[in-house]
Amino acid sequence: MTEAILLVGGKGTRLRPLTVNTPKPMVRAAGVPFLTHQLARAKAAGVDHIVLATSYLAEVFEPHFGDGSSLGLHLEYVTEEEPLGTGGAIRNVASRLHSGPDEPVLIFNGDILTGLDIGALVRTHETTGADVSLHLTQVTDPRAYGLVPTDDTGRVLAFLEKPQTPEEIVTDQINAGAYVFRRSVIDTIPAGRPVSVERETFPELLATGAHLQGMVDSTYWLDLGTPAAFVRGSADLVLGRAPSPAVPGRCGDRLVLPTARVAPDAKLTGGTVVGEGAFVAEGARVFGSTILPGAVIEPGAVITDSLIGTRARIGTRSVLADTVIGDGAVIGADNELRSGARIWCNAHIPPGALRFSPDA
């Protein structure tokens, strides 16, 4: 396998306000755009040609990554005029592939952080002679996912979308968002219209007798679709819990990028990242959080499991937990934000305006 398709066209609605100005795969995790981690892992698995299927804010990708040569890759970009879904996006870039009809093509989603053994998935695909092979992972509560039951050999039996009753939950195996397609199968996807591989392509292939193979790999796996998950994923990359050759520094309790400034008595723990040009002032405490480039954390602020947007400012003694602050927002002194609060880009919260607990 030498080539792959990377699906990066989603709007990232659940991640707003992070994705107002930045497409989801370009939001920084562990100091670099999340897409960088995926490209680096594909490169490490032997992929050298990747086609990016773009749509939302498509103009952002190529100026950053160029032709991919700096990563040792050959990158191409195809933009959808209208959103085409997962299957439609795959079909839309098929003309850029160089593989022969029976050769494998890796396909993966742009919002999954995983420790998947890509080489093992390709070997499973080749040794079983499958038409499509799927990475499956096991989860405790599968109700929010598509279930994929398999037989004793790993052959896929069905695709069951988001079961709700106990009777419908027949397996804990879910579709983990990485596939290997036989090149010729991609050409069977209808062109020019929205298609979901999960709801249309895969069930139709099963119905026509195609061989779909599942490979369970329950190493690290996280869907970064929500702010809480994205913050956790970034911290796990810094801590070394999630594997990536693209983390720009040694794994540990914190990652401070070049040109960032941190006061000597500020405390950074739990996989915290401080981006380029950001400043963390004296007495501030930051746990498990991402401070994006140019942001300012003023003296005595306490930030936990939160993401602070580019050029945002957090005021003196403000307390944030499980919170997302949009780019350019200003949180005045002595505010308290908790429990999934989202402050939109360029918003201004006056000093002492928001609290979740009574004054002392």
Side-chain angles (χ1 to χ4, degrees), residues 329-352:
V330 176
I331 309 302
D334 299 307
N335 279 292
E336 183 183 7
L337 286 77
R338 298 184 181 274
S339 305
R342 304 184 191 213
I343 304 301
W344 230 247
C345 299
N346 301 312
H348 283 63
I349 307 297

Side-chain angles (χ1 to χ4, degrees), residues 158-182:
F159 291 89
L160 308 173
E161 279 298 314
K162 297 183 180 179
Q164 297 303 310
T165 67
E167 293 76 21
E168 292 176 309
I169 301 175
V170 298
T171 180
D172 61 356
Q173 297 175 176
I174 67 166
N175 177 356
Y179 320 113
V180 178
F181 272 63
R182 187 190 303 273

Side-chain angles (χ1 to χ4, degrees), residues 4 13-14 24 34 38 48 58 66 69 84 91-93 120 141 150 189 193 247 263 279 283 288 290 312 357 360:
T13 304
R14 292 181 297 159
K24 177 167 52 176
F34 175 67
Q38 293 185 304
D48 59 24
S69 57
L84 294 173
R91 182 66 177 85
N92 192 51
V93 306
D141 183 359
T150 54
I189 300 172
R193 68 170 176 85
V247 175
F279 174 57
T290 295
S357 58

Side-chain angles (χ1 to χ4, degrees), residues 37-273:
H37 299 289
Q38 293 185 304
L39 295 174
R41 294 201 72 244
K43 168 65 177 175
V47 175
D48 59 24
H49 176 220
I50 299 179
V51 184
L52 276 67
T54 68
S55 180
Y56 176 66
L57 295 176
E59 66 276 8
V60 172
F61 295 94
E62 189 167 3
H64 185 89
F65 291 106
D67 63 2
S69 57
S70 63
L71 298 172
L73 293 166
H74 173 214
L75 300 182
E76 294 188 65
Y77 306 84
V78 177
T79 301
E80 302 164 26
E81 298 303 321
E82 298 291 337
L84 294 173
T86 48
I90 293 167
R91 182 66 177 85
N92 192 51
V93 306
S95 64
R96 302 295 185 93
L97 299 173
H98 309 311
S99 300
D102 291 326
E103 292 181 325
V105 177
L106 175 69
I107 299 171
F108 50 117
N109 288 323
D111 56 1
I112 301 295
L113 177 59
T114 177
L116 168 67
D117 185 339
I118 297 172
L121 181 63
V122 175
R123 289 191 294 273
T124 296
H125 179 79
E126 293 176 334
T127 58
T128 60
D131 295 298
V132 179
S133 297
L134 298 89
H135 171 210
L136 308 179
T137 193
Q138 295 168 308
V139 296
T140 303
D141 183 359
R143 288 176 296 176
Y145 303 99
L147 303 190
V148 186
T150 54
D151 66 15
D152 292 341
T153 69
R155 189 159 183 157
V156 173
L157 300 174
F159 291 89
L160 308 173
E161 279 298 314
K162 297 183 180 179
Q164 297 303 310
T165 67
E167 293 76 21
E168 292 176 309
I169 301 175
V170 298
T171 180
D172 61 356
Q173 297 175 176
I174 67 166
N175 177 356
Y179 320 113
V180 178
F181 272 63
R182 187 190 303 273
R183 170 65 183 86
S184 58
V185 173
I186 294 175
D187 290 331
T188 68
I189 300 172
R193 68 170 176 85
V195 180
S196 165
V197 289
E198 300 85 358
R199 294 178 175 82
E200 183 175 344
T201 304
F202 292 156
E204 287 184 358
L205 286 170
L206 274 186
T208 58
H211 179 176
L212 276 69
Q213 185 73 21
M215 187 194 82
V216 177
D217 182 324
S218 292
T219 54
Y220 187 98
W221 183 87
L222 186 64
D223 177 350
L224 301 184
T226 66
F230 200 96
V231 170
R232 176 184 158 198
S234 178
D236 284 348
L237 284 162
V238 174
L239 292 165
R241 295 172 181 166
S244 171
V247 175
R250 296 177 61 182
C251 291
D253 225 22
R254 59 188 240 173
L255 176 63
V256 178
L257 273 72
T259 72
R261 295 179 296 137
V262 177
D265 66 343
K267 187 175 182 181
L268 311 177
T269 58
T272 288
V273 182

Side-chain angles (χ1 to χ4, degrees), residues 276-318:
E276 296 94 335
F279 174 57
V280 180
E282 59 271 15
R285 290 178 288 153
V286 187
F287 177 85
S289 297
T290 295
I291 313 300
L292 291 181
V296 174
I297 312 301
E298 294 185 354
V302 179
I303 300 173
T304 303
D305 298 335
S306 297
L307 193 147
I308 311 304
T310 302
R311 300 179 307 281
R313 178 178 290 267
I314 309 303
T316 300
R317 296 178 302 277
S318 283

